[in-house]
Amino acid sequence: MRGEAIGGGLNLNQKLKRTVLGVKTVVVDQSLWEIARSNNMATWKKNMEKMKEMNLEAWAYLDGLAPNTWCRAFFEELPKCDLLLNNSCEVFNKWILDARELPILSMLRKIKARLMTRWYRNRKQCEDDWSQLPLCPKIKKKLDKNIEWAKSCHERPTGKGVFKVMSRENEYVVDILKNKCSCRRWQLAGIPCSHSIACLRFERIKLEDKVAACYSIEEYRLAYGHVIMPCRDPAEWQKTNGPPIEPPKYEKKAGRKKKKRIVHPSEKDEGTRFSKHGVIMHCSVCNSTEHNRRKCTVLHPSDRVPALEKLPVRRNLLQAPTAQDSQCTEMTIT
């Protein structure tokens, strides 16, 4: 969203950093994240109306974007993932950062060696530490957090697994047979939300049985159950009739070698400082436009002793002093 320009050449990221209609930028930024975290259409429309009242230009920009790329209310329910950021890609990119500087074959061999170690470590941890757990530890923590939130939910059964749940000022419809809730958190993440947990407790159903199967220890063990076999030494590789694999031709270029990747124009951040071109500066003491704080007459009254005048410079040192020079010297001594 940083690369798209709106009004006056400023992008949305810069717009949100300014004060909009007397509202602090923290409130505007919070409103933007509330829209992105909306789980259903009703919440999305409600938060968009708030943004429209706060900043019409930012609302028009968000309304022009494809909502299925940044808002949970339009995400598909099959992947069981409600992430809004691409931190997984950034972490993997940092993980192979040193390997990317190597030639192609050395890079692949180093990445493979790291994957072999990671596969073994995760498989060992699953077999030794998590063998008695029904769910992965992080998923269990999320489920426990939803259990705490379920204390404020009041369920009313209607039949055939359908419940009406009242949580504070809102009402939700839960179907425990289809694993659905009108808030859509259960469908998006695969973990029962606080509304569905209240209904499952009413029916005496075990909560772990309603969590998506991809979060179970068995599925985790299957994901890392395969063994990545190591390769033999290159000296033992079978000779083929193909052309030899040689490194690409390298031409040394002038200047220091770049370490950072090439950033796309849409990823460049223009900074947080704005140009003061055309802005009328005021004195912070008397609010005058003719001077600043350093030359303010209120802070620095004019009755102070004026500075001594500079003596005229004589170009010819051998020249005899004049009457004017003698008079200046006397004034200085006095």
Side-chain angles (χ1 to χ4, degrees), residues 47-78:
N47 294 330
M48 285 291 287
E49 289 297 328
K50 290 182 181 180
M51 178 63 77
K52 187 176 182 180
E53 296 176 359
M54 190 175 303
N55 188 352
L56 184 61
E57 191 174 1
W59 171 85
Y61 172 77
L62 293 175
D63 189 59
L65 295 176
N68 60 339
T69 59
W70 64 281
C71 183
R72 288 178 180 172
F74 298 87
F75 285 0
E76 296 291 338
E77 300 177 1
L78 179 63

Side-chain angles (χ1 to χ4, degrees), residues 217-285:
I217 296 296
E218 294 297 330
E219 295 293 332
Y220 189 91
R221 187 180 293 109
L222 290 175
Y224 293 100
H226 301 282
V227 178
I228 301 178
M229 300 301 296
C231 295
R232 295 178 296 175
D233 187 77
E236 301 179 6
W237 291 357
Q238 184 179 0
K239 302 297 182 180
T240 60
N241 297 326
I245 301 177
E246 299 179 355
K249 295 182 179 180
Y250 175 74
E251 297 180 1
K252 188 176 181 180
K253 299 179 181 180
R256 184 179 297 178
K257 185 179 179 181
K258 294 182 179 180
K259 292 292 184 180
K260 297 183 179 180
R261 65 180 179 87
I262 300 177
V263 182
H264 192 269
S266 61
E267 298 178 336
K268 292 183 179 180
D269 192 359
E270 299 181 5
T272 58
R273 301 186 63 181
F274 297 93
S275 175
K276 294 185 179 181
H277 178 71
V279 178
I280 300 177
M281 306 299 294
H282 294 75
C283 178
S284 60
V285 179

Side-chain angles (χ1 to χ4, degrees), residues 166-180:
M166 292 174 292
S167 177
R168 298 180 181 178
E169 300 177 355
N170 302 322
E171 296 182 0
Y172 303 93
V173 179
V174 180
D175 190 345
I176 60 176
L177 299 180
K178 297 181 180 180
N179 297 349
K180 288 185 178 181

Side-chain angles (χ1 to χ4, degrees), residues 144-330:
D144 294 339
K145 186 183 297 185
N146 293 342
I147 292 175
E148 291 293 328
W149 291 347
K151 296 179 181 179
S152 61
C153 299
H154 304 278
E155 68 285 351
R156 291 184 180 179
T158 60
K160 297 184 179 180
V162 180
F163 288 80
K164 176 183 179 181
V165 181
M166 292 174 292
S167 177
R168 298 180 181 178
E169 300 177 355
N170 302 322
E171 296 182 0
Y172 303 93
V173 179
V174 180
D175 190 345
I176 60 176
L177 299 180
K178 297 181 180 180
N179 297 349
K180 288 185 178 181
C181 180
S182 57
C183 71
R184 294 189 73 242
R185 295 177 184 174
W186 194 0
Q187 297 93 297
L188 289 174
I191 304 173
C193 58
S194 57
H195 320 119
S196 58
I197 289 176
C199 302
L200 294 173
R201 281 181 167 181
F202 182 85
E203 294 291 343
R204 302 296 191 272
I205 299 177
K206 194 175 181 180
L207 302 180
E208 287 78 5
D209 297 341
K210 288 297 183 178
V211 180
C214 59
Y215 298 131
S216 64
I217 296 296
E218 294 297 330
E219 295 293 332
Y220 189 91
R221 187 180 293 109
L222 290 175
Y224 293 100
H226 301 282
V227 178
I228 301 178
M229 300 301 296
C231 295
R232 295 178 296 175
D233 187 77
E236 301 179 6
W237 291 357
Q238 184 179 0
K239 302 297 182 180
T240 60
N241 297 326
I245 301 177
E246 299 179 355
K249 295 182 179 180
Y250 175 74
E251 297 180 1
K252 188 176 181 180
K253 299 179 181 180
R256 184 179 297 178
K257 185 179 179 181
K258 294 182 179 180
K259 292 292 184 180
K260 297 183 179 180
R261 65 180 179 87
I262 300 177
V263 182
H264 192 269
S266 61
E267 298 178 336
K268 292 183 179 180
D269 192 359
E270 299 181 5
T272 58
R273 301 186 63 181
F274 297 93
S275 175
K276 294 185 179 181
H277 178 71
V279 178
I280 300 177
M281 306 299 294
H282 294 75
C283 178
S284 60
V285 179
C286 62
N287 202 27
S288 175
T289 59
E290 298 180 356
H291 58 265
N292 53 15
R293 181 184 177 90
R294 293 182 301 174
K295 299 181 179 180
C296 181
T297 57
V298 178
L299 190 63
H300 308 286
S302 58
D303 56 351
R304 60 182 180 179
V305 180
L308 297 177
E309 298 181 359
K310 293 183 179 181
L311 298 177
V313 180
R314 291 184 297 174
R315 300 299 180 184
N316 190 0
L317 298 178
L318 299 178
Q319 184 179 359
T322 60
Q324 184 179 1
D325 296 342
S326 303
Q327 184 180 1
C328 294
T329 306
E330 292 177 0

